[in-house]
Amino acid sequence: MSMLSSFFSSPWLVFGAAILFRLALLIYGRWQDANSPIKYTDIDYLVFTDAARFVARGQSPYDRATYRYTPLLAWILIPTTWDTEAIPNHIWFDFGKVLFAAGDIATGWLIMRILVKRKDMSVQQALKYAGLWLLNPMVANISTRGSSEGLLAVLVVALVWAVLEGRIRVAGMLLGLGVHFKIYPFIYAASIWWWLGSDPVSDGADALTKTKAMFTKERTALAMHSFMTFMALNCVMYSFYGVPFIEHSYRYHFTRIDHRHNFSVYNTVLHLNSAHSADSSFKVESLAFVPQLFLSVGVIPFLLAKKDLASTMLAQTFAFVTFNKVCTSQYFLWYMVFLPFYLPLSSMLRNSRLGLTALVLWVLGQALWLQQGFELEFNGRSTFVPGLWLASMLFFGINCWILGVIVKDVGSQAGFERTIAAPEHKKDR
Amino acid sequence: MIRRPKTGERTEVGTLQVEKATEAEELSLGGFLTVIGEDDHPSKTLFSFPSRHHPLPGLSPATFTASFQQPTGLHPKFEIKLPRQQLRPPSDTCGLHAYWTLPSALFIDRYQLSDPLFLASQNLAALHSLSGEQDLEAPDWAIERWGSAALSELAAPPSSPSGSGTDKSDWIITIPTHLRYLAGPQKPTHTSGHASIDVPWPIVFWACEAEEGLGLSNNPFDRVDLGYDGLFGPQTTFYHIPPGSEVNTTVEEVQVPVLDSEKAEWVQAGTLIAVVAGFAWICWQLLRATSGQNFEAQEQKRK
């Protein structure tokens, strides 16, 4: 036990281990790609690097089929197309994976800094929680395979850091960049808005004063900087690539019909209604955004943000992913990055039986679904109904239960994270 | 029935049979020709012409069989079996190819077939051409085109060191494909969750470079624009490998798992109930946690 404690008391050891782990995976990935017809590299990475190749030749990244991201991603991966004497191209090709893995490490470092500075934790404690991200094999695997989720994680944790440090303009810019990158970070605008709080007003103030007090300098700065960053990026990308940019980066994500089976509770309904669109029965999925947004942008940030910003963001993201029309395992990383902030105040940690049950059920729910998916994909059995449907319903139920525990934990926190001075009586003008 | 020709027209009738050609790349026909209305008896004839398409030379030419690996799942693997022993290229410039037209429900992923290691493991040499519908994600009911066509070069079996080889096993080439989601049949017949699609066999042939100066356009029976010949140079000859005579069909039926709408009556209602219940549970937990707090805080204030 004490060896573990001494391991976690040294940042060098923990970060060193995380870096070595990722390095080992990168080297193993190169070996597997070179020697096996089954590749370690994610197919998405091939899409990104193909698009980067197009950009390096002065063409549009959208010339690559299935590239549905911001051109920024292809731009930052241009080094994967380089070929120098010192470093040949087949090494430069892995630049993106190295970048994403470095993003993981940066995320872990930011998590540690926030926990130490803002949550009054010792370095050892903070490293234990940060280790959930840094030493997590799922996280390391996803980044070293070339999936870009790690970049979002850095952005999002940097956003938390900026808000907690009071650097609201930086936070606004990070938010704008995040929304441009992946769209979903717009939900964090709601929690940051409520966390920032309104200006104090005396009890007898009229409605107009109360409304004006809602738009504080900080809130306005947040809104303006995020909007300006978002629009500036859009204008630049549109000027380069025109309509295909809007089409693939944004519009596609709202209207896609390619819902191959995934974890989402709506998947079977969507499949059914898409295939048999002649039936005029009421379509459940057209209102799917209602509970999703009501929870993730409405009640959760409104009721919980002031108590603990990062835990609220976890709850928001968890709700957003659980109630989304599409859910793949990459999305889990979107909320996992917030776990180190939530777990210190979680009943799942205090009551280890509860925590273990939650973890086991969460894994079991996926395993059941994956088993049905395997029967379909490789054995050709028609498991769409009831197999996959019931498995996705079960996983949905498990996630709702977990989210219930999370919101209860955060909601029962006493006091506000950001102590605001009591309002003084002001003379109404 | 042959009708009398009008003025200015000539109708010639020939009874011909295939003769052995003197040149390797030519076909030879011999028999009798008669011009209707002009000749009163048939005249003997023997002529040769260079031809693009040939049967395989030799006494016992190779044949192939094809099938899908079972179970097919959503990623059917198509196998082409050729006899190793009889598989010899007519000349050194020949490459073994398969030209395959696929219905829209089935598709080939060109990016999957661009990795040399993977290709080698399937005994493929390269995917030379893929045309038609190539969307990798869309379901079949969203596809408007009829399908796609793929020209693949197949790896020839390595020549055995013992000469003509005593290996009686088959040389198996695999082409990986993927199924799009299909809509299940609408009728109230019991579907058991599967629909079937028909996939024709590909044509398998050796494509060889013809000798210089071979006047392929002198062929009165020349057929061009068959779909694949345009993908090769103009001086290409084709030696076709026929399907084995023991097979009685050259169309494969694939069972595709589909969403059985019969079983899915409860899906809409069930999903709605689940979503509403989950949503209500979360809201309930939220309110319990936060309103209880406020109540306690107010109690504290009063004290």
Side-chain angles (χ1 to χ4, degrees), chain A residues 13 25 50 62 86 113 124-125 154 171 192-193 204 239 246 262-263 270-271 273 310 329 338 355 366 371 403 406 423:
Chain A
L13 280 180
L25 283 176
D50 279 352
Y62 300 109
R113 294 297 313 153
Q124 188 188 47
Q125 262 187 312
V154 186
I192 301 174
W193 178 272
S239 73
I246 309 280
N262 59 80
F263 291 121
L270 282 169
H271 184 168
N273 288 337
S329 50
F338 295 113
Q366 291 173 62
Q371 197 263 340
L403 184 56
I406 295 174

Side-chain angles (χ1 to χ4, degrees), chain A residues 129-180:
Chain A
Y129 288 113
L132 279 173
W133 179 263
L134 285 167
L135 304 172
N136 190 328
M138 186 172 160
V139 174
N141 180 47
I142 284 189
S143 289
T144 51
R145 287 185 67 205
S147 183
S148 67
E149 308 297 325
L151 284 185
L152 246 304
V154 186
L155 273 178
V156 158
V157 176
L159 178 63
V160 173
W161 170 84
V163 174
L164 293 181
E165 286 280 308
R167 306 173 71 143
I168 305 301
R169 283 175 301 184
V170 173
M173 293 195 284
L174 287 168
L175 185 59
L177 178 60
V179 180
H180 174 80

Side-chain angles (χ1 to χ4, degrees), chain A residues 34 39 64 68 260-261 269 271 273-274 276 281-282 294 307 377 380 382 384-385 389 396 403 411-413, chain B residues 73-75 111 115 117 137 141 179 181 186 193-194 258-259 263 267-268 270-271 274-275 279 282 289 293:
Chain A
K39 305 295 171 199
R64 181 20 164 124
R68 317 267 188 212
R260 285 188 86 96
H261 47 284
V269 164
H271 184 168
N273 288 337
S274 181
H276 303 281
S281 56
F282 168 70
F294 186 78
K307 309 226 179 218
E377 296 243 14
S382 176
F384 291 110
V385 172
W389 178 57
F396 176 75
L403 184 56
S412 10
Q413 290 296 297
Chain B
L74 288 181
H75 308 283
Y111 299 106
D115 172 51
L117 265 182
E137 297 160 329
W141 56 83
L179 277 168
Y181 272 22
Q186 297 270 29
H194 287 84
V258 292
L259 178 56
K263 287 191 196 162
V267 167
Q268 289 252 76
T271 311
V275 171
F279 175 74
I282 294 164
Q293 178 97 83

